[in-house]
Amino acid sequence: PTPFYAEGGGQVGDTGNGESSTSTFLVKDTKKGAKNIFFSLVEVVDGELKEGDSVKLYVNEALRRNTEAHHTATHLLHYALRETLGSHVKQAGSLVSPWRLRFDFHHFSAIDDDLIFAIEEKVNSAIFDDRLVYKNFMPLDEALKLGAIALFDEKYGDTVRVVEVDGVSKELCGGCHVDRTSRIGIFKILEEKS
């Protein structure tokens, strides 16, 4: 068991620190291996860390909170792009980190400044409305019937996690998110390129 989120779905792995009775260490990254086994990549700062040691783990809370904000903002951006450019827009990749987000998608042309402003306005409106963010597990077929967006190149099990921004978006997602959109702060598109 670990409180650390492993890299996946475009979201970076958690970092932080830990301690055992004989060591202190930094958690530099967290990855997921086969059979959903999580691996924390650590650097021992003091002492010796041995197999079987009982450890206390501490996620870097500030970085996790920023990642949560960027991940929920990614869902709001997906919604705003579809509302502004059309329902053909589908996520084709992403990066969600504590420092920024990147959202990859297909569209027919570059997006002009007026449309970028309209997209920003839709996202910021959902943020300023302080909407609740729900996370629920349900059968895949039920989630799809409710209109949840799924990335069809992803493999899903029979039970999925649906992240819903109240009245705005509904997507299948296993990542970390804020509980209310106001925690995101403000959204600004810095660059759009092919």
Side-chain angles (χ1 to χ4, degrees):
T2 178
F4 286 75
Y5 177 86
E7 176 183 356
Q11 183 175 321
V12 300
D14 277 332
T15 61
N17 57 62
E19 60 188 33
S20 71
S21 61
T22 60
S23 69
T24 58
F25 53 91
L26 300 175
V27 177
K28 309 283 265 186
D29 199 359
T30 307
K31 306 277 187 187
K32 185 169 29 176
K35 300 181 182 177
N36 287 329
I37 295 174
F38 285 51
F39 297 91
S40 288
L41 306 173
V42 305
E43 176 185 327
V44 176
V45 176
D46 185 48
E48 184 181 358
L49 183 60
K50 300 181 300 291
E51 183 177 350
D53 281 354
S54 182
V55 298
K56 291 182 180 177
L57 299 171
Y58 306 93
V59 174
N60 183 319
E61 188 174 350
L63 295 181
R64 166 72 78 83
R65 298 290 173 243
N66 287 344
T67 300
E68 290 173 346
H70 287 143
H71 204 150
T72 306
T74 299
H75 286 224
L76 295 177
L77 175 58
H78 194 187
Y79 151 79
L81 287 166
R82 290 172 59 84
E83 288 286 307
T84 306
L85 303 177
S87 62
H88 66 279
V89 172
K90 298 266 193 281
Q91 182 174 341
S94 68
L95 169 69
V96 178
S97 79
W99 304 278
R100 69 183 183 103
L101 70 88
R102 187 196 75 237
F103 189 85
D104 306 331
F105 65 98
H106 300 288
H107 186 53
F108 312 117
S109 63
I111 304 170
D112 67 37
D113 290 343
D114 289 340
L115 286 175
I116 286 176
F117 181 75
I119 292 163
E120 290 173 341
E121 286 293 304
K122 284 190 184 306
V123 173
N124 282 314
S125 177
I127 291 169
F128 300 150
D129 286 347
D130 192 29
R131 294 176 181 268
L132 289 170
V133 180
Y134 303 103
K135 302 123 189 157
N136 296 302
F137 288 92
M138 63 184 67
L140 176 60
D141 59 341
E142 182 181 333
L144 297 176
K145 285 178 190 169
L146 290 173
I149 294 176
L151 304 177
F152 288 103
D153 57 341
E154 294 280 329
K155 293 179 181 162
Y156 298 104
D158 294 335
T159 301
V160 295
R161 182 168 173 254
V162 177
V163 175
E164 178 181 359
V165 177
D166 191 28
V168 177
S169 73
K170 202 177 296 178
E171 297 189 35
L172 303 187
C173 183
C176 301
H177 290 271
V178 298
D179 293 324
R180 303 188 73 91
T181 58
S182 62
R183 291 209 29 237
I184 296 169
I186 194 163
F187 176 85
K188 177 73 179 152
I189 296 174
L190 300 178
E191 182 179 36
E192 183 269 343
K193 65 181 181 179
S194 92

mmCIF file of all heavy atoms in Angstrom, residues 2 4-8 11-15 27-34 36-41:
data_model
loop_
_atom_site.group_PDB
_atom_site.id
_atom_site.type_symbol
_atom_site.label_atom_id
_atom_site.label_comp_id
_atom_site.label_asym_id
_atom_site.label_seq_id
_atom_site.Cartn_x
_atom_site.Cartn_y
_atom_site.Cartn_z
ATOM 1 N N THR A 2 0.431 2.253 -0.749
ATOM 2 C CA THR A 2 1.190 3.502 -0.824
ATOM 3 C C THR A 2 0.224 4.661 -1.060
ATOM 4 O O THR A 2 -0.771 4.506 -1.760
ATOM 5 C CB THR A 2 2.242 3.447 -1.958
ATOM 6 O OG1 THR A 2 2.917 4.705 -2.027
ATOM 7 C CG2 THR A 2 1.618 3.141 -3.299
ATOM 8 N N PHE A 4 1.203 7.192 -2.721
ATOM 9 C CA PHE A 4 1.758 7.833 -3.902
ATOM 10 C C PHE A 4 1.011 7.411 -5.160
ATOM 11 O O PHE A 4 0.796 6.221 -5.394
ATOM 12 C CB PHE A 4 3.245 7.492 -4.036
ATOM 13 C CG PHE A 4 4.119 8.220 -3.058
ATOM 14 C CD1 PHE A 4 4.155 7.854 -1.728
ATOM 15 C CD2 PHE A 4 4.891 9.289 -3.475
ATOM 16 C CE1 PHE A 4 4.946 8.528 -0.822
ATOM 17 C CE2 PHE A 4 5.692 9.976 -2.574
ATOM 18 C CZ PHE A 4 5.717 9.601 -1.248
ATOM 19 N N TYR A 5 0.635 8.401 -5.988
ATOM 20 C CA TYR A 5 0.004 8.136 -7.273
ATOM 21 C C TYR A 5 1.106 7.795 -8.271
ATOM 22 O O TYR A 5 2.091 8.525 -8.395
ATOM 23 C CB TYR A 5 -0.796 9.361 -7.753
ATOM 24 C CG TYR A 5 -1.413 9.152 -9.109
ATOM 25 C CD1 TYR A 5 -2.662 8.543 -9.232
ATOM 26 C CD2 TYR A 5 -0.740 9.513 -10.260
ATOM 27 C CE1 TYR A 5 -3.220 8.312 -10.475
ATOM 28 C CE2 TYR A 5 -1.292 9.291 -11.507
ATOM 29 C CZ TYR A 5 -2.537 8.688 -11.607
ATOM 30 O OH TYR A 5 -3.072 8.454 -12.848
ATOM 31 N N ALA A 6 0.939 6.696 -8.991
ATOM 32 C CA ALA A 6 1.918 6.297 -10.005
ATOM 33 C C ALA A 6 1.603 6.974 -11.332
ATOM 34 O O ALA A 6 0.439 7.179 -11.683
ATOM 35 C CB ALA A 6 1.907 4.781 -10.177
ATOM 36 N N GLU A 7 2.636 7.322 -12.070
ATOM 37 C CA GLU A 7 2.489 7.938 -13.381
ATOM 38 C C GLU A 7 1.510 7.137 -14.229
ATOM 39 O O GLU A 7 1.597 5.914 -14.298
ATOM 40 C CB GLU A 7 3.845 7.984 -14.073
ATOM 41 C CG GLU A 7 3.803 8.519 -15.483
ATOM 42 C CD GLU A 7 5.179 8.475 -16.161
ATOM 43 O OE1 GLU A 7 6.167 8.099 -15.512
ATOM 44 O OE2 GLU A 7 5.234 8.816 -17.342
ATOM 45 N N GLY A 8 0.560 7.828 -14.852
ATOM 46 C CA GLY A 8 -0.391 7.155 -15.726
ATOM 47 C C GLY A 8 -1.412 8.114 -16.291
ATOM 48 O O GLY A 8 -1.727 9.127 -15.673
ATOM 49 N N GLN A 11 -0.696 11.827 -16.335
ATOM 50 C CA GLN A 11 -0.357 12.462 -15.063
ATOM 51 C C GLN A 11 0.979 11.930 -14.565
ATOM 52 O O GLN A 11 1.216 10.722 -14.565
ATOM 53 C CB GLN A 11 -1.440 12.186 -14.024
ATOM 54 C CG GLN A 11 -1.180 12.867 -12.697
ATOM 55 C CD GLN A 11 -2.319 12.681 -11.714
ATOM 56 O OE1 GLN A 11 -3.485 12.713 -12.085
ATOM 57 N NE2 GLN A 11 -1.974 12.489 -10.456
ATOM 58 N N VAL A 12 1.849 12.845 -14.109
ATOM 59 C CA VAL A 12 3.153 12.439 -13.592
ATOM 60 C C VAL A 12 2.997 11.739 -12.252
ATOM 61 O O VAL A 12 2.003 11.923 -11.545
ATOM 62 C CB VAL A 12 4.112 13.649 -13.449
ATOM 63 C CG1 VAL A 12 4.338 14.329 -14.791
ATOM 64 C CG2 VAL A 12 3.623 14.639 -12.408
ATOM 65 N N GLY A 13 3.996 10.941 -11.889
ATOM 66 C CA GLY A 13 3.991 10.239 -10.610
ATOM 67 C C GLY A 13 4.302 11.179 -9.454
ATOM 68 O O GLY A 13 5.004 12.179 -9.609
ATOM 69 N N ASP A 14 3.785 10.816 -8.276
ATOM 70 C CA ASP A 14 4.027 11.614 -7.074
ATOM 71 C C ASP A 14 5.481 11.537 -6.623
ATOM 72 O O ASP A 14 6.188 10.561 -6.875
ATOM 73 C CB ASP A 14 3.161 11.100 -5.915
ATOM 74 C CG ASP A 14 1.751 11.651 -5.942
ATOM 75 O OD1 ASP A 14 1.546 12.774 -6.471
ATOM 76 O OD2 ASP A 14 0.851 10.976 -5.415
ATOM 77 N N THR A 15 5.890 12.581 -5.920
ATOM 78 C CA THR A 15 7.185 12.641 -5.245
ATOM 79 C C THR A 15 6.936 12.960 -3.779
ATOM 80 O O THR A 15 5.815 13.281 -3.385
ATOM 81 C CB THR A 15 8.089 13.720 -5.864
ATOM 82 O OG1 THR A 15 7.447 14.990 -5.722
ATOM 83 C CG2 THR A 15 8.362 13.444 -7.341
ATOM 84 N N VAL A 27 11.512 10.367 -2.230
ATOM 85 C CA VAL A 27 10.808 9.654 -3.294
ATOM 86 C C VAL A 27 10.879 10.546 -4.524
ATOM 87 O O VAL A 27 10.284 11.624 -4.556
ATOM 88 C CB VAL A 27 9.346 9.341 -2.907
ATOM 89 C CG1 VAL A 27 8.630 8.656 -4.061
ATOM 90 C CG2 VAL A 27 9.296 8.475 -1.648
ATOM 91 N N LYS A 28 11.644 10.115 -5.520
ATOM 92 C CA LYS A 28 11.914 10.932 -6.712
ATOM 93 C C LYS A 28 10.844 10.785 -7.792
ATOM 94 O O LYS A 28 10.662 11.662 -8.608
ATOM 95 C CB LYS A 28 13.266 10.559 -7.300
ATOM 96 C CG LYS A 28 14.416 10.556 -6.296
ATOM 97 C CD LYS A 28 14.869 11.911 -5.964
ATOM 98 C CE LYS A 28 16.027 12.247 -6.856
ATOM 99 N NZ LYS A 28 16.652 13.498 -6.534
ATOM 100 N N ASP A 29 10.146 9.630 -7.803
ATOM 101 C CA ASP A 29 9.116 9.375 -8.817
ATOM 102 C C ASP A 29 8.362 8.119 -8.395
ATOM 103 O O ASP A 29 8.848 7.338 -7.578
ATOM 104 C CB ASP A 29 9.749 9.166 -10.190
ATOM 105 C CG ASP A 29 8.766 9.342 -11.350
ATOM 106 O OD1 ASP A 29 7.569 9.607 -11.094
ATOM 107 O OD2 ASP A 29 9.204 9.226 -12.511
ATOM 108 N N THR A 30 7.183 7.937 -8.971
ATOM 109 C CA THR A 30 6.393 6.736 -8.710
ATOM 110 C C THR A 30 5.885 6.203 -10.040
ATOM 111 O O THR A 30 5.329 6.948 -10.844
ATOM 112 C CB THR A 30 5.217 7.046 -7.757
ATOM 113 O OG1 THR A 30 5.734 7.679 -6.589
ATOM 114 C CG2 THR A 30 4.488 5.785 -7.359
ATOM 115 N N LYS A 31 6.095 4.920 -10.270
ATOM 116 C CA LYS A 31 5.709 4.256 -11.516
ATOM 117 C C LYS A 31 4.817 3.061 -11.191
ATOM 118 O O LYS A 31 4.797 2.576 -10.069
ATOM 119 C CB LYS A 31 6.947 3.745 -12.260
ATOM 120 C CG LYS A 31 8.011 4.780 -12.532
ATOM 121 C CD LYS A 31 7.702 5.556 -13.749
ATOM 122 C CE LYS A 31 8.877 6.480 -14.099
ATOM 123 N NZ LYS A 31 8.543 7.368 -15.189
ATOM 124 N N LYS A 32 4.116 2.587 -12.215
ATOM 125 C CA LYS A 32 3.283 1.389 -12.059
ATOM 126 C C LYS A 32 3.823 0.303 -12.984
ATOM 127 O O LYS A 32 4.049 0.545 -14.167
ATOM 128 C CB LYS A 32 1.828 1.715 -12.400
ATOM 129 C CG LYS A 32 0.888 0.567 -12.144
ATOM 130 C CD LYS A 32 -0.601 0.903 -12.224
ATOM 131 C CE LYS A 32 -0.994 2.010 -13.119
ATOM 132 N NZ LYS A 32 -2.438 2.218 -13.224
ATOM 133 N N GLY A 33 3.993 -0.892 -12.417
ATOM 134 C CA GLY A 33 4.473 -2.020 -13.205
ATOM 135 C C GLY A 33 3.341 -2.971 -13.524
ATOM 136 O O GLY A 33 2.156 -2.642 -13.407
ATOM 137 N N ALA A 34 3.715 -4.176 -13.920
ATOM 138 C CA ALA A 34 2.738 -5.210 -14.239
ATOM 139 C C ALA A 34 1.879 -5.517 -13.019
ATOM 140 O O ALA A 34 2.323 -5.383 -11.879
ATOM 141 C CB ALA A 34 3.467 -6.470 -14.710
ATOM 142 N N ASN A 36 -0.462 -3.931 -11.681
ATOM 143 C CA ASN A 36 -0.715 -2.754 -10.839
ATOM 144 C C ASN A 36 0.163 -2.695 -9.596
ATOM 145 O O ASN A 36 -0.267 -2.241 -8.543
ATOM 146 C CB ASN A 36 -2.191 -2.664 -10.448
ATOM 147 C CG ASN A 36 -3.046 -2.237 -11.625
ATOM 148 O OD1 ASN A 36 -2.586 -1.497 -12.503
ATOM 149 N ND2 ASN A 36 -4.268 -2.710 -11.668
ATOM 150 N N ILE A 37 1.393 -3.152 -9.719
ATOM 151 C CA ILE A 37 2.352 -3.023 -8.625
ATOM 152 C C ILE A 37 3.025 -1.663 -8.758
ATOM 153 O O ILE A 37 3.537 -1.313 -9.819
ATOM 154 C CB ILE A 37 3.394 -4.158 -8.654
ATOM 155 C CG1 ILE A 37 2.694 -5.496 -8.392
ATOM 156 C CG2 ILE A 37 4.490 -3.905 -7.621
ATOM 157 C CD1 ILE A 37 3.600 -6.698 -8.536
ATOM 158 N N PHE A 38 3.001 -0.874 -7.676
ATOM 159 C CA PHE A 38 3.571 0.467 -7.690
ATOM 160 C C PHE A 38 5.025 0.416 -7.236
ATOM 161 O O PHE A 38 5.373 -0.302 -6.305
ATOM 162 C CB PHE A 38 2.785 1.382 -6.751
ATOM 163 C CG PHE A 38 1.455 1.811 -7.301
ATOM 164 C CD1 PHE A 38 0.548 0.886 -7.808
ATOM 165 C CD2 PHE A 38 1.098 3.140 -7.302
ATOM 166 C CE1 PHE A 38 -0.672 1.278 -8.300
ATOM 167 C CE2 PHE A 38 -0.130 3.550 -7.800
ATOM 168 C CZ PHE A 38 -1.018 2.623 -8.295
ATOM 169 N N PHE A 39 5.869 1.226 -7.894
ATOM 170 C CA PHE A 39 7.277 1.330 -7.566
ATOM 171 C C PHE A 39 7.602 2.781 -7.264
ATOM 172 O O PHE A 39 7.334 3.660 -8.079
ATOM 173 C CB PHE A 39 8.146 0.870 -8.744
ATOM 174 C CG PHE A 39 7.957 -0.572 -9.099
ATOM 175 C CD1 PHE A 39 7.017 -0.959 -10.051
ATOM 176 C CD2 PHE A 39 8.716 -1.545 -8.480
ATOM 177 C CE1 PHE A 39 6.844 -2.286 -10.374
ATOM 178 C CE2 PHE A 39 8.551 -2.884 -8.800
ATOM 179 C CZ PHE A 39 7.610 -3.263 -9.746
ATOM 180 N N SER A 40 8.159 3.033 -6.092
ATOM 181 C CA SER A 40 8.666 4.358 -5.779
ATOM 182 C C SER A 40 10.170 4.344 -5.986
ATOM 183 O O SER A 40 10.872 3.480 -5.456
ATOM 184 C CB SER A 40 8.342 4.736 -4.326
ATOM 185 O OG SER A 40 6.968 4.996 -4.192
ATOM 186 N N LEU A 41 10.647 5.264 -6.791
ATOM 187 C CA LEU A 41 12.077 5.387 -7.046
ATOM 188 C C LEU A 41 12.630 6.322 -5.980
ATOM 189 O O LEU A 41 12.238 7.491 -5.920
ATOM 190 C CB LEU A 41 12.319 5.936 -8.452
ATOM 191 C CG LEU A 41 11.618 5.149 -9.566
ATOM 192 C CD1 LEU A 41 11.772 5.845 -10.896
ATOM 193 C CD2 LEU A 41 12.146 3.734 -9.643
#
